[in-house]
């Protein structure tokens, strides 16, 4: 078993990750939004230095590497946001990073990852090539440490730091702890971290249509893969074939259900975030807001919504705003 598989994420680990993140990054804003006549609170992780929450897990993971592990470097797998998080942390810590990314990843994410100094190794996602197999081969050849996008205990704990941060922000405003946190979900790293961070809140993972394997897995009580990996989606950040045991072990019993949103609902949420909150949110980052906007979940004054990422190119985003995409 790998160290990722042997170690389990814990609430104590989330607290330690939160302290480490707070030492190097400012808090992301908690933005007030009126939705269906109810005030909700949007955690703008799209305003992180790399444009996504993934910087949290990457920093916690890489900053915990031993001196020997740092010398051998790291390998990540990502469609772009985790890639940038790992690249950012690696550059700050002086660690060599290679990121396995799909050939159809958004150009802006590929460019940003390279600009941060990481080596990009492309794989054929449309052709069905296994990114994890590519990454594991690189790790064997280089003696590098695998930093998985979601199936890693340090990464899960790091993502959970967003939950502790938003809970503290809500408490500081006299709102009390969040009753519900609606979050975008791909492999389940963020959802699992939030469940550990905020055990008193209902955690609601939201996935795009056709890629709702976590929702299906929660319903079945066992891990199920995406039924059709060729199903098209603009939510590249949430395009994972299946969750992993380390994530599902946290989610099962703590997260009772998940939700699914359509492409049209996601675009409507992107437009709302821009018009009402003045923030740019990528499709995957808007999934949780899309579910709330579409009336798929009940809301109250202590409901928090994660806006998980904002890495989208200008032309595509302009089409969304204009209603032509």
């Amino acid at each position: 078993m790998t160290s990722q598989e042997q170690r389990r994420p814990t609430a104590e680990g989330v607290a330690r990750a939160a302290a480490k993140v707070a030492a190097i990054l400012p808090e992301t804003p908690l933005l007030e939004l009126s939705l269906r006549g109810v005030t909700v609170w949007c955690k703008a992780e799209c305003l992180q230095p790399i444009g996504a929450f993934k910087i949290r897990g990457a920093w916690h993971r890489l900053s915990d590497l031993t001196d020997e592990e740092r010398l051998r470097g790291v390998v990540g797998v990502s469609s772009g946001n985790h890639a940038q998080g790992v690249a950012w942390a690696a550059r700050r810590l002086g660690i060599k990073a290679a990121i396995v990314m799909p050939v159809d990843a958004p150009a802006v994410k590929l460019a940003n990852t390279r600009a941060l100094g990481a080596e990009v190794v492309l794989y054929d996602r449309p052709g069905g090539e296994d990114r994890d197999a590519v990454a594991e081969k690189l790790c064997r050849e280089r003696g590098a440490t695998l930093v998985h996008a979601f199936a890693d205990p340090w990464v899960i704990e790091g993502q959970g730091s967003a939950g502790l941060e938003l809970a503290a922000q809500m408490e500081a405003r006299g709102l009390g702890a969040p009753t519900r946190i609606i979050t975008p979900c791909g492999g389940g790293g963020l959802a699992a971290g939030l469940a550990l961070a905020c055990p008193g809140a209902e955690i609601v993972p939201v996935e795009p249509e056709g890629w709702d394997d976590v929702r299906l897995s929660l319903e079945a009580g066992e891990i199920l893969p995406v039924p059709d990996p060729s199903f098209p989606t603009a939510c590249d950040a949430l395009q994972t074939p299946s969750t992993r045991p380390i994530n599902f072990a946290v989610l099962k019993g703590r997260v009772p259900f998940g939700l699914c949103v359509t492409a049209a609902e996601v675009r409507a949420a992107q437009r709302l975030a821009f018009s009402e909150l003045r923030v740019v949110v990528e499709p995957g980052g808007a999934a949780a807001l899309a579910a709330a906007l579409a009336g798929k979940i009940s809301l109250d004054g202590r409901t928090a919504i994660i806006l998980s990422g904002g890495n989208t190119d200008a032309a595509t985003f302009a089409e969304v705003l204009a209603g032509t995409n």
Side-chain angles (χ1 to χ4, degrees):
M1 295 176 70
T2 66
S3 61
Q4 288 94 332
E5 293 170 327
Q6 290 173 332
R7 184 178 179 275
R8 293 295 174 223
T10 64
E12 293 75 20
V14 173
R16 191 169 69 87
K20 290 166 64 179
V21 168
I24 62 161
L25 294 172
E27 292 183 348
T28 54
L30 192 64
L31 306 175
E32 183 176 347
L33 177 67
S34 179
L35 206 58
R36 293 163 31 213
V38 178
T39 297
V40 297
W41 303 92
C42 298
K43 183 66 168 162
E45 288 293 292
C46 52
L47 297 179
Q48 289 283 9
I50 60 139
F53 74 98
K54 293 285 192 175
I55 196 170
R56 296 175 178 274
W59 180 253
H60 185 42
R61 183 67 183 105
L62 268 65
S63 61
D64 256 22
L65 293 175
T66 66
D67 290 342
E68 183 180 348
E69 288 171 331
R70 292 187 186 195
L71 286 173
R72 293 200 301 264
V74 297
V75 173
V77 289
S78 172
S79 69
N81 288 337
H82 178 66
Q84 292 171 79
V86 171
W88 186 93
R91 184 172 70 173
R92 188 177 178 103
L93 293 166
I95 299 171
K96 185 177 181 181
I99 316 295
V100 178
M101 300 181 69
V103 294
D104 60 341
V108 66
K109 294 183 178 182
L110 289 166
N112 289 347
T113 302
R114 292 186 173 112
L116 286 165
E119 173 192 0
V120 172
V121 178
L122 298 175
Y123 77 98
D124 185 10
R125 177 166 61 184
E129 189 174 10
D130 185 346
R131 70 177 187 176
D132 290 328
V134 175
E136 287 164 7
K137 183 173 183 290
L138 283 174
C139 287
R140 288 194 303 271
E141 292 173 349
R142 303 179 181 189
T145 298
L146 176 66
V147 183
H148 199 276
F150 57 88
D152 180 293
W154 286 269
V155 169
I156 291 169
E157 290 170 347
Q159 317 310 26
S161 68
L164 292 184
E165 192 174 289
L166 79 84
Q169 289 171 312
M170 291 181 68
E171 292 278 6
R173 298 189 188 195
L175 299 167
T179 55
R180 179 180 300 104
I181 305 175
I182 312 172
T183 180
C185 181
L190 177 56
L194 292 171
L196 291 171
C198 302
E202 178 183 64
I203 308 300
V204 183
V206 183
E207 298 166 290
E209 182 181 23
W211 291 86
D212 52 339
D213 59 287
V214 169
R215 181 186 70 84
L216 295 172
S217 298
L218 289 171
E219 288 182 357
E222 61 179 342
I223 295 175
L224 298 177
V226 167
D228 179 10
S230 67
F231 193 91
T233 181
C235 299
D236 65 280
L238 309 181
Q239 203 171 347
T240 53
S242 68
T243 188
R244 293 290 189 85
I246 190 171
N247 306 89
F248 197 63
V250 175
L251 298 175
K252 188 178 179 181
R254 290 183 177 92
V255 179
F257 65 92
L259 298 173
C260 176
V261 289
T262 67
E265 290 166 344
V266 166
R267 291 192 294 269
Q270 288 181 276
R271 290 190 285 268
L272 179 72
F274 185 76
S275 64
E276 297 298 322
L277 300 176
R278 308 297 187 268
V279 293
V280 174
V281 185
E282 66 184 277
L289 180 58
L293 178 61
K296 296 188 173 183
I297 184 71
S298 60
L299 307 173
D300 60 37
R302 290 160 59 194
T303 294
I305 297 172
I306 306 292
L307 306 177
S308 59
N311 291 309
T312 182
D313 67 89
T316 301
F317 191 66
E319 291 176 357
V320 170
L321 295 183
T324 58
N325 184 347

